[in-house]
Amino acid sequence: MKIRTIICSIVISILAVSCYDNQEILPLSKDIIEPSSRLVLVDTLGVGVSTVILDSIPTSGKELILAGIYNDPRLGKIISKSYFQVGFPKTLPAKHDVFDSISLLIAYNSYSYGDTTQLQKLGVNRLTDRLQLKEQTAFYNTTSLDYDHTSLGELIFYPRPSSKEKIEIELNKDFGQEIFDYLNQAQDDEFKEDEFNNFFRGLILVPDEMIGNSINGYMVNDTSPLIKLYSHATGDELISKQTTLPLINKNLQFNQITCDWSNCPAFIGHKQKNEIPASETGNVSFINAGLGMYTKFSFPSMQSIVEFENSVLIRAILYIRPALGANVKLPDSKNFGIYQTAKYNVLEFQLLNPDGSAVEPTLSVDALYNEKTWYSLDITDNLISDLSDRYIDPAKALSVTFSASYISNSVDQLLIAGTENKLTKPTLELLFLFYDLN
Amino acid sequence: MTLTEHIKAYFKAWLRGIILGAIIFFPAKASAQYSSNSTYSFFGIGEITGARPIRSEAMGGVSLALSSEYNINNINPASLNKFDSTTFLFTAGINGYLSSFKSGKISKTGTDFNFNHLAFGFPIKKWWATAAGIAPFSSVGYDVKLSIPIEGSASTLETQFQGSGGVTQFYLLNTFHPLKPLSVGINVSYLMGAVKHTELDKLTEFDYPDVTKTDTRYFRNFYYKLGLQFNQNIGNDRLSIGLTFNPPQKLKIRHDVEILIPNVDTLNTKPDNKDIFEMPLAIGAGIGYNINSIFELAFDYGFDRWSTVSNSLRRASLTDSYHYNFGLEFTPKETLIRSYLSLIHYRAGAYYEKKYIQLRGNEIFDRGITIGAGLPIGRQGSTIDIAIGLGRLGTLNQGLVQETYGSIKIGFNFHDYWFIKRRFD
């Protein structure tokens, strides 16, 4: 090989190997290099807090009886009544059997709200309205049907929500005899089930307003609630018999949950479209499942952030502080539903994560000082999509309520701190990246 | 051989060289770029490297008063006055650095290999010689990170800054020396290149993808330098004086900014801020003394009036820069021993330079010592030059970065006699 070739090869190689290798990044101890972008945390945007009571929430077909009374110190007397219907038995008593007694049996489902150490009185009344849907698609927490105010039976008891034993409420013997006779009659006639259901239209569990301070849950399934007719056969031996009237129209069983607002008159005559500011309800707002109450967070000055030039929203987190800190049991994050609400407090849509799962707040508990007891709610995606058209509808708000499955299945409540206390007021933390286009 | 045949022969050699080089070094090519590997290259046009012949690099950077038949001294355009009428010179060089960067109490190391220069030169007339080449003019290379406080919060944002690229100089030197001992010269260069600064805001801890800002500045324009050299023999010795002068000049800039915000937008702008980069008036003066072709001593001083130009350097400010270089070369020849060792040029030097940026009130100095050798190859004056240096750039004051570096620079000077047919080829 000629020397020229060798030298030229070397030269080309020199050009080719020019490279740079610096495995580690040097952290500068001072900002001698000027960053052209900066991150700014804005947490001074005002957050409005108010309570909205939904005009109604569907409670039928939830397979849960909620019955009882609870005196809420901030709201008033909360009463839950439950409607259901039992139907024609599979086997009828024998023709010449003799009626003995009749009882309603219901099984606890372990749910409870309030003070179960206090005696409770539940009455059973007979519906005079039929348990039938007309135009509506469901029965609601606000639905009330007519019933015979003469009680068929009552029970005063200490609720034991975790007990496996059913409670048994003995009903009026005349009523039992009437049912028994109707069934005996039915053996002779060509029986029509619908006729029986019209004759016996259903029952309502009515808590006594004076006795009790808890609302308890009872199962709704094939064995609860049901009616037992006790009878015996006539003959040489006394043979006891039972006839069971099982639950029918399970999807029509519902709970009527009301409050007299005696401790919070601001809610009297409420409408969903009129939110009640926390300042009018003792600097707290409410999230209550059975009563359909949610807390609305509004951001009246949000439009001002749209005006930020050359910036991008990186993160938006709403910190919501429970009014009572961690001194009460705080609902799990998964029990919440976060909605965007529009004008007249209409729930527009539920906030979802990119994977389709529901956006949930994250609970942080600071048991010692409560200063960092909060639910933090990442609303970045929602806000970014709002900001994309550079206009924020002032009527738009975020509503924090219990999830759809939870709201109809409990009377749980969470108190949210209002804006009056600087330490506990809700804060919206916005992290912006400001960039320099030069 | 005729001139045409010579040119053909060179083309063939080049072609073979390209193919061979490409085969051997193709894998390395993927990451190839030249860079300076210095945090201070963040500012302005980057670190002005002023690539010198490796001979000078071994002598502390002195070059203004040097001239040689076997070297292309691109620093003084009047220095091509030793070319013989048959000289053809071809030269190329590489640099390698091993650096330790220290900021506060943390230090990191990095290595950096890059191309130093590539040039060829030959005489046109007895009184006129020319050389053309390519060399880095400035270079940018850094990779640092900063924790920046988030306004309104106790936490910080980590931002990574990366820089790369540089400005390349394509130069044409012309030396005229009709009246010995004086020669004058001009270097007409075209400068072009892109400097890329990337700023990466690491937002992962805020559940947000990283935001990247890429700022690219394309520099270009002609750039001139005038030179003068005076060589006077005094008995067997020689006194040399060299002067260079750069008038104030302006480079044009095209400026592109891209901000990439994942899932949101990619913003592109061409900021209409000042679209020139001013190069200041610069002067250089050097003196050399050669004793009996055995010792050569030289001293350079250079001054760049950066304080009079108005480039925006963000957090840094401009300050006049200057440099002192001192070097000597010793070539034993037959005087001492009759062996190859006696043919080697032994070199050493030192330099002290004040850079053109000032940061937080601190001037940035670069100083170091060098040693090296010129190893003759063959009998036609070709050499391999090696320069080894040890230096320190910057300061730890006020959170600045101090870089301690070792360097090795290798140059290939291929000297051929044109217009003479060699007996063995």
Side-chain angles (χ1 to χ4, degrees), chain A residues 1-43 311-315 378 380 384 431 433 435-438, chain B residues 9 13 17-18 20 25 32-33 35 37 42-43 90 93-94 103-104 108-115 118 143-146 148 150-153 160 199 201 203 206 208 211 213 259 267 269 271 314-315 360 399-401 412 414 416 422:
Chain A
M1 210 184 294
K2 290 178 183 175
I3 187 160
R4 282 177 190 155
T5 309
I6 292 167
I7 288 178
C8 291
S9 305
I10 290 167
V11 168
I12 295 302
S13 307
I14 286 167
L15 291 175
V17 297
S18 299
C19 67
Y20 164 74
D21 177 36
N22 194 4
Q23 284 105 3
E24 290 176 287
I25 307 165
L26 179 74
L28 295 177
S29 65
K30 290 270 170 60
D31 53 342
I32 56 171
I33 287 181
E34 185 177 16
S36 67
S37 51
R38 61 201 172 98
L39 270 186
V40 179
L41 190 79
V42 178
D43 61 358
S311 69
V312 59
L313 178 68
I314 299 298
R315 197 180 66 176
D378 189 333
T380 313
I384 283 175
L431 190 63
L433 181 78
Y435 49 81
D436 181 6
L437 278 169
N438 286 310
Chain B
I18 287 166
L20 199 69
F25 290 99
Q33 58 176 326
S35 61
N37 205 355
F42 174 79
F43 302 99
F90 177 81
I94 52 165
S103 172
K108 303 280 178 200
T109 56
T111 55
D112 181 19
F113 280 96
N114 50 60
F115 152 71
L118 187 69
D143 193 356
V144 294
K145 60 185 178 183
L146 254 183
I148 302 157
I150 299 171
E151 288 172 44
S153 156
Q160 185 180 355
E199 192 176 320
D201 296 317
L203 298 166
F206 307 105
Y208 200 88
V211 170
K213 177 182 178 181
I259 297 175
L267 306 162
T269 59
R314 296 206 266 181
R315 197 152 283 189
R360 292 174 161 247
L400 268 57
V401 177
F412 302 89
F414 180 57
D416 199 2
R422 275 173 283 166

Side-chain angles (χ1 to χ4, degrees), chain A residues 63-68 106-111 120 122 157 159 167 205 215-220 224 253:
Chain A
E63 302 189 4
L64 170 73
I65 287 173
L66 288 170
I106 45 179
Y108 290 107
N109 89 330
S110 80
Y111 176 76
Q120 167 137 47
L122 274 185
F157 63 110
I167 61 168
L205 285 174
I215 294 172
N216 298 292
Y218 302 93
M219 289 188 194
V220 173
S224 168
Q253 177 274 324

Side-chain angles (χ1 to χ4, degrees), chain A residues 62-325:
Chain A
K62 304 296 179 187
E63 302 189 4
L64 170 73
I65 287 173
L66 288 170
I69 177 163
Y70 175 68
N71 289 299
D72 187 283
R74 287 173 187 269
L75 294 177
K77 211 171 268 181
I78 300 171
I79 297 170
S80 182
K81 299 173 182 175
S82 194
Y83 297 76
F84 57 91
Q85 188 173 14
V86 292
F88 201 67
K90 281 190 182 123
T91 50
L92 292 171
K95 188 80 185 164
H96 301 291
D97 286 357
V98 177
F99 167 74
D100 289 327
S101 66
I102 181 168
S103 290
L104 172 71
L105 286 92
I106 45 179
Y108 290 107
N109 89 330
S110 80
Y111 176 76
S112 172
Y113 190 82
D115 180 5
T116 55
T117 64
Q118 292 190 34
L119 269 176
Q120 167 137 47
K121 184 175 172 186
L122 274 185
V124 182
N125 294 49
R126 186 172 179 175
L127 288 185
T128 52
D129 272 351
R130 288 204 69 170
L131 193 64
Q132 262 179 355
L133 290 170
K134 295 177 182 109
E135 280 92 48
Q136 74 271 49
T137 55
F139 290 120
Y140 300 93
N141 61 335
T142 50
T143 309
S144 83
L145 300 179
D146 285 340
Y147 59 91
D148 183 350
H149 283 264
T150 314
S151 174
L152 294 176
E154 287 169 348
L155 182 69
I156 298 177
F157 63 110
Y158 285 105
R160 292 189 295 145
S162 51
S163 169
K164 298 270 181 269
E165 279 178 34
K166 289 177 181 171
I167 61 168
E168 182 164 3
I169 305 172
E170 194 175 345
L171 305 180
N172 184 298
K173 284 218 161 60
D174 294 344
F175 165 70
Q177 189 66 57
E178 192 184 349
I179 299 285
F180 194 79
D181 291 348
Y182 191 98
L183 294 174
N184 263 332
Q185 178 84 31
Q187 289 186 333
D188 299 335
D189 301 345
E190 192 184 325
F191 178 73
K192 289 192 182 68
E193 195 169 324
D194 194 49
E195 277 176 21
F196 179 77
N197 292 346
N198 191 32
F199 160 71
F200 182 30
R201 296 180 169 187
L203 293 171
I204 175 170
L205 285 174
V206 184
D208 186 288
E209 293 195 17
M210 306 311 292
I211 305 171
N213 199 23
S214 67
I215 294 172
N216 298 292
Y218 302 93
M219 289 188 194
V220 173
N221 55 30
D222 293 341
T223 60
S224 168
L226 55 77
I227 279 185
K228 276 189 177 168
L229 276 171
Y230 298 96
S231 58
H232 65 269
T234 50
D236 298 338
E237 286 180 70
L238 191 77
I239 301 165
S240 291
K241 290 187 174 178
Q242 289 182 17
T243 306
T244 301
L245 278 66
L247 182 79
I248 60 164
N249 292 331
K250 196 154 81 172
N251 62 319
L252 297 180
Q253 177 274 324
F254 76 99
N255 304 308
Q256 179 193 354
I257 304 165
T258 54
C259 182
D260 66 1
W261 311 118
S262 51
N263 296 334
C264 193
F267 288 126
I268 292 173
H270 64 81
K271 289 275 188 304
Q272 180 172 343
K273 64 178 180 181
N274 301 324
E275 67 270 21
I276 315 290
S279 55
E280 291 179 26
T281 54
N283 193 36
V284 291
S285 69
F286 296 84
I287 301 174
N288 187 298
L291 293 170
M293 302 170 90
Y294 70 73
T295 292
K296 171 178 161 175
F297 296 94
S298 57
F299 311 102
S301 48
M302 188 70 95
Q303 183 64 28
S304 67
I305 70 166
V306 176
E307 258 93 89
F308 291 172
E309 293 282 327
N310 296 339
S311 69
V312 59
L313 178 68
I314 299 298
R315 197 180 66 176
I317 292 180
L318 179 64
Y319 291 92
I320 303 165
R321 292 171 175 85
L324 306 175

